[in-house]
Amino acid sequence: MDTRLQDGAEALLEGCPTAEVSRPAGQWTVAEVGAWLTARSGAGELAELVREHAVSGRALLRLTEGTLRRMGVAPRSRRRELLRELLRLRLQQELEELLSVI
């Protein structure tokens, strides 16, 4: 792999707010998902919903706007914000996987 690309990917990970993840999000427990949500600004109420619905890391990565709505996450802007955070998390995980094979 081009070292410029690798350096750029590593720089993206360093600036990523989810870079503190120690293992793949798909392996997180319900408690770890709750901790991740609590670390996000204004997401404390979401952590409680995660506990109520027993959302593991694997389930977290599969959440959709419809699922969040059925779980009681409102308003729509809040669901969108969480979906953006989840996209960042997925991208970070993919970057880490790609960098690990280099």
Side-chain angles (χ1 to χ4, degrees):
M1 176 181 226
D2 183 339
T3 57
R4 289 175 297 160
L5 181 57
Q6 182 178 356
D7 292 344
E10 288 171 350
L12 282 173
L13 282 175
E14 287 172 11
C16 184
T18 58
E20 74 277 359
V21 177
S22 60
R23 63 188 176 132
Q27 297 175 5
W28 290 354
T29 64
V30 173
E32 289 170 317
V33 170
W36 180 80
L37 285 169
T38 300
R40 267 77 230 129
S41 61
E45 74 281 359
L46 293 176
E48 183 59 35
L49 282 174
V50 161
R51 284 187 283 279
E52 287 176 23
H53 293 277
V55 177
S56 66
R58 186 174 180 188
L60 175 72
L61 295 174
R62 294 180 174 162
L63 290 177
T64 64
E65 185 167 359
T67 306
L68 292 171
R69 185 177 45 249
R70 286 188 298 277
M71 287 175 63
V73 178
R76 183 175 186 221
S77 61
R78 187 69 184 114
R79 291 191 299 271
R80 295 287 183 163
E81 179 183 330
L82 179 56
L83 290 171
R84 278 191 299 274
E85 285 290 329
L86 288 171
L87 178 58
R88 284 186 193 109
L89 179 62
R90 288 183 201 114
L91 289 172
Q92 176 201 349
Q93 299 281 299
E94 289 182 25
L95 275 172
E96 288 175 353
E97 287 176 25
L98 288 171
L99 290 172
S100 71
V101 296
I102 298 174

